[in-house]
Amino acid sequence: MATAIKPDTDDKRPIRRTWPRYIPMVVLALFFLFPIVFMFVSAFKTDSAIFADLRSPRAFLPIGELSFANFVGVFDRVPVLRFLFNSVFITTAIVGLGLIVNSMCGFALSRMKWRGQKIIFAIIIATLIVPFETVAIPLVYWVAQLPSVEFNGLMPTYSQGWLNTYHVQILPFVANAFFIFLFAQYFKSIPRELDEAARVDGASWFQIYWKLIVPLSGPVFATAAILTFVSSPGAWNAYLWPLMVAQQEELRPVMVGMQYFFQLDTAWGEIMAYTSIITLPVLLLFLCFQRAFVNSIASTGMKG
């Protein structure tokens, strides 16, 4: 006689035990989402509606009289597309060149043996304690003294100073002490026997770096790329440095465009619309690569 199979309820017990842990996590996530939700909702409201809804939950809800007038006003006040192009170009250059330069420096410090290696590595680590704001003014002075080359057709012309150029917003931020340290620590976790085998086969150090180490280091490259995008003083969130070295409007990135909204009458609806426009690329980047970001941070932390 067939016996009834008793449903296994053991699999549900872990869920019942762990779901209370998610409550504070959800509350914390909502706490951090409130400013972003407020920004996007306020971008469609008038200034009077924004201030009228501040003391109520209506500030976080898309209710009332909504329109795209603030976004139209943003494009009338500042050259948004030009600023976006500048930020994308500068950030892409910093990320791309930074991955090459910092990874090669990390490779030389972690895989090769040469005189003074430990001293150089200690000096690089020591620069991490120096805030960028403390060296910004001296750096402006030095970039203003550097020679610059421009081409008028095929004839080069020489001038003094890098101010009001793209490369003054890119080159000072290519090499980064933190990312050199990050690459060096990750490369140390790769077995050195691979280098020895490659050297026996006649491979050069650059071939070992490019054909052996780089393919095995996807997580740390993803981590460095994302962190450079969001945290480098010269990348997407840059404000202080381009404000000091780029006086021409056609060279300025998106963050410097914020000051345009505080010069005459402060239009808070347009400010919210502008910040929404410049925040969307960051949110889309994170949403598209959130799994790679989390996995790269986790794997880099374990290996480093």
Side-chain angles (χ1 to χ4, degrees):
M1 183 175 179
T3 58
I5 299 176
K6 184 179 179 180
D8 187 5
T9 59
D10 292 342
D11 295 339
K12 298 181 180 180
R13 291 179 183 177
I15 299 177
R16 293 174 181 175
R17 293 174 183 175
T18 58
W19 72 264
R21 301 178 186 177
Y22 291 97
I23 295 178
M25 298 172 62
V26 172
V27 173
L28 188 63
L30 292 176
F31 177 78
F32 283 104
L33 282 175
F34 277 157
I36 300 177
V37 173
F38 173 77
M39 176 185 67
F40 283 115
V41 170
S42 300
F44 297 93
K45 297 181 180 181
T46 61
D47 289 2
S48 58
I50 293 174
F51 287 102
D53 296 341
L54 278 179
R55 297 182 180 273
S56 68
R58 293 172 58 93
F60 303 97
L61 300 175
I63 56 179
E65 185 178 352
L66 306 177
S67 68
F68 289 92
N70 291 327
F71 291 92
V72 175
V74 165
F75 283 87
D76 291 338
R77 181 174 294 207
V78 298
V80 180
L81 296 180
R82 183 66 188 185
F83 289 167
L84 285 172
F85 169 80
N86 292 338
S87 287
V88 170
F89 174 73
I90 293 170
T91 302
T92 302
I94 291 175
V95 172
L97 293 174
L99 291 178
I100 297 173
V101 172
N102 295 323
S103 64
M104 293 183 72
C105 290
F107 176 82
L109 290 169
S110 62
R111 313 293 294 189
M112 302 172 64
K113 298 296 183 182
W114 41 278
R115 183 176 299 178
Q117 179 180 12
K118 294 183 179 180
I119 297 176
I120 297 298
F121 191 58
I123 294 174
I124 292 173
I125 298 302
T127 60
L128 290 174
I129 66 175
V130 182
F132 171 74
E133 290 75 12
T134 62
V135 299
I137 300 299
L139 190 58
V140 171
Y141 171 78
W142 285 112
V143 297
Q145 307 303 317
L146 293 174
S148 180
V149 180
E150 298 179 358
F151 287 90
N152 186 9
L154 297 178
M155 295 297 296
T157 58
Y158 300 91
S159 60
Q160 184 178 5
W162 283 11
L163 302 181
N164 291 315
T165 60
Y166 280 120
H167 50 269
V168 76
Q169 303 179 65
I170 297 172
L171 296 182
F173 307 102
V174 170
N176 186 289
F178 172 75
F179 295 117
I180 292 175
F181 171 77
L182 190 69
F183 278 111
Q185 293 301 106
Y186 191 92
F187 291 162
K188 286 181 181 179
S189 67
I190 300 176
R192 290 184 176 274
E193 289 77 7
L194 298 176
D195 296 359
E196 298 172 1
R199 295 289 290 176
V200 170
D201 291 338
S204 64
W205 281 113
F206 180 78
Q207 289 175 325
I208 294 174
Y209 159 78
W210 186 250
K211 296 183 178 181
L212 183 63
I213 302 299
V214 171
L216 295 175
S217 306
V220 70
F221 275 90
T223 301
I226 297 173
L227 292 182
T228 301
F229 180 89
V230 299
S231 64
S232 174
W236 189 264
N237 293 326
Y239 177 79
L240 177 62
W241 182 249
L243 186 65
M244 298 169 65
V245 300
Q247 301 300 320
Q248 297 179 8
E249 186 177 79
E250 61 270 16
L251 296 173
R252 288 182 164 180
V254 291
M255 290 301 171
V256 179
M258 287 293 299
Q259 66 174 343
Y260 285 64
F261 297 93
F262 297 95
Q263 291 177 349
L264 299 176
D265 54 325
T266 303
W268 290 102
E270 294 183 3
I271 292 175
M272 295 300 173
Y274 184 74
T275 53
S276 299
I277 293 173
I278 64 179
T279 303
L280 276 176
V282 182
L283 291 179
L284 292 176
L285 179 72
F286 178 76
L287 291 175
C288 293
F289 299 100
Q290 59 178 331
R291 179 170 297 180
F293 177 70
V294 174
N295 291 339
S296 62
I297 290 291
S299 61
T300 304
M302 289 187 295
K303 296 214 179 245

